[in-house]
Amino acid sequence: MLLASLFYGAYCASLLIHSTTIILLSSALLGIGAAHLWTAQQSYLLRLSEEKMFGRNAGHFSSLHLLGPLLGIITLGFLIDARSFTFSFSIYAFFPLIGFIILLFIPESRKNVNFSPARFTSPSPQQYRTGYFFFLQRRFWNRTIVRLMFYWFTIASIFGIMLSVIPIEAGKYFAHYSGGFLLSLFYLIPIISSYHWGRISDRIGREKMVSISYIIIIASIISLLFSSFSVIFLIVGIIALSFSRAINAPTNTALLGDISSDHNVEQLSALSLSSQQMGVVLGLFAGALPSAAITYTLSLAFVILSFAIVSP
C-alpha cells in the first residue's frame, strides 16, 4: 500500500508536465500500483475483521471507497473553474503523499485470522501451494471458485455497461446537468446504503444476497430494454442497477472472507479483482455494439446464464 500511494502521486504530478510519454509511463505505473493497493486493502480489511463483521466492515469500506471519488471529482471541478488545471493537480498530487504518511502509522496485520467458511465450500489450507500461477491452475478446477469468478466477472461487466452505454442513452432524454445527477445515483445510493446491505448479508448469508443482486440486475436490464419507449424505464433501470451495486460492493469483499483461509486471502483477493477488471473491460467494449437494445439483450442473456452457473 505504501508503494502504491507513491505511484498515485507520480501520476498526478505527471499531468503537470504535459509530456505524452511520461503520462503514459505513469499511467502504467498507476495500474500496477492500483493492483497492489486494491488487493492489499481488501486483504487487510478481512484480516482485521471478525467473521460475523465481514459484511458490516465491507459496507463501511465500500461507502468510503465510493465517497472519495465522488468528492474528488466535484472538488477538482470547482478548483479548475476557480483557479487553473495546474494549480488543481498540484494540490491533488499531495494527497497520495498524505496517504503515504498515514500508512506509516498503520501497523502491519500479522493476525492469524481463523477464517471459517460457512456459506461456500472451500478447500482446506493444506491444498494450497506457494506461487500465484500454480494457485490459479488449482483454482480453475475448484467449482466454488469458478462460480465466484463468474459472479465477480458478471457484476463488473454490468458496471462497464453502465459506463459505456447508459450515459449515452441518458443523454437522449436529459440535459447535461440533469443526466449527470441521474448517473450520480451509481455513487450516491451505494454510499448511503452499502453498510446496511453488508449488515443484512451478515444476518441472512451471502448466497441470498448474491441471488437478490442477480434478480435486481435482471429486472433492471429488462427495464432498460424498454427505455426507448419511455424515460421512466430508463430511470427505473438506473435506480435498480445502483441498488445492485450497493449490494455487491460489500458482498464481494465479504464473500472472500467466507471462503478464504489465512494462507490464501491475498491470492483470492487478487483473483477476485482480476475477474472484476476483465468484466469491466468487456462491459466497455459492449458500448461498441450497433445499438443499446442489442447490448441490453446480450447482457440479459449473459446475466441469466451466469446466475444459473453461480446458483448452488
Side-chain angles (χ1 to χ4, degrees):
M1 288 191 287
L2 285 169
L3 182 63
S5 64
L6 297 178
F7 288 162
Y8 275 75
Y11 173 75
C12 292
S14 71
L15 298 176
L16 304 174
I17 301 175
H18 304 295
S19 169
T20 303
T21 301
I22 293 178
I23 291 176
L24 289 175
L25 178 61
S26 64
S27 297
L29 291 175
L30 176 64
I32 296 173
H36 284 81
L37 177 63
W38 295 350
T39 301
Q41 66 189 15
Q42 192 165 242
S43 304
Y44 191 90
L45 175 68
L46 290 173
R47 287 184 178 279
L48 294 182
S49 300
E50 298 294 332
E51 182 186 1
K52 63 181 180 180
M53 298 292 289
F54 281 158
R56 299 182 190 185
N57 291 347
H60 278 308
F61 175 79
S62 298
S63 295
L64 293 174
H65 190 247
L66 292 171
L67 181 62
L70 183 63
L71 292 179
I73 292 172
I74 294 174
T75 305
L76 181 63
F78 279 116
L79 282 175
I80 292 177
D81 285 339
R83 300 297 295 268
S84 67
F85 179 91
T86 301
F87 174 83
S88 302
F89 275 94
S90 297
I91 297 296
Y92 268 59
F94 282 101
F95 288 161
L97 297 180
I98 295 173
F100 179 87
I101 295 173
I102 293 174
L103 286 172
L104 289 175
F105 296 95
I106 296 179
E108 178 69 28
S109 175
R110 301 186 183 278
K111 184 178 179 181
N112 188 14
V113 181
N114 182 25
F115 293 101
S116 54
R119 300 173 180 84
F120 284 83
T121 304
S122 179
S124 64
Q126 288 75 21
Q127 292 178 298
Y128 293 92
R129 301 288 188 273
T130 302
Y132 185 58
F133 289 102
F134 185 83
F135 172 84
L136 284 178
Q137 182 183 6
R138 294 293 300 272
R139 293 317 99 215
F140 284 132
W141 293 101
N142 180 274
R143 183 173 180 269
T144 297
I145 301 301
V146 171
R147 287 165 57 203
L148 288 179
M149 286 178 65
F150 265 94
Y151 165 67
W152 291 324
F153 182 85
T154 302
I155 297 307
S157 67
I158 298 302
F159 177 64
I161 292 172
M162 292 181 197
L163 297 176
S164 61
V165 178
I166 294 180
I168 298 174
E169 294 302 301
K172 297 177 181 178
Y173 291 103
F174 299 99
H176 177 69
Y177 290 106
S178 300
F181 174 77
L182 183 63
L183 294 174
S184 70
L185 294 177
F186 288 138
Y187 285 89
L188 292 175
I189 290 178
I191 288 170
I192 295 171
S193 62
S194 284
Y195 168 75
H196 301 288
W197 291 114
R199 185 174 62 179
I200 292 172
S201 76
D202 285 334
R203 187 168 67 248
I204 70 174
R206 245 66 76 180
E207 285 188 0
K208 292 181 180 178
M209 298 302 295
V210 169
S211 297
I212 291 171
S213 173
Y214 269 109
I215 292 171
I216 293 176
I217 290 174
I218 290 171
S220 67
I221 296 176
I222 293 174
S223 181
L224 290 170
L225 270 170
F226 292 94
S227 61
S228 59
F229 298 101
S230 172
V231 68
I232 299 299
F233 290 109
L234 177 65
I235 295 174
V236 170
I238 290 176
I239 293 174
L241 282 176
S242 300
F243 273 106
S244 73
R245 193 181 185 204
I247 294 172
N248 290 318
T251 302
N252 286 345
T253 301
L255 270 171
L256 286 173
D258 290 339
I259 68 169
S260 297
S261 73
D262 186 56
H263 304 279
N264 62 28
V265 60
E266 285 82 11
Q267 293 171 317
L268 280 175
S269 181
L271 181 60
S272 166
L273 293 168
S274 297
S275 301
Q276 292 177 56
Q277 295 309 308
M278 288 189 289
V280 171
V281 172
L282 175 66
L284 292 174
F285 277 116
L289 292 174
S291 69
I294 295 176
T295 302
Y296 295 147
T297 302
L298 293 177
S299 299
L300 180 61
F302 179 68
V303 170
I304 293 174
L305 174 64
S306 176
F307 192 16
I309 293 173
V310 171
S311 297

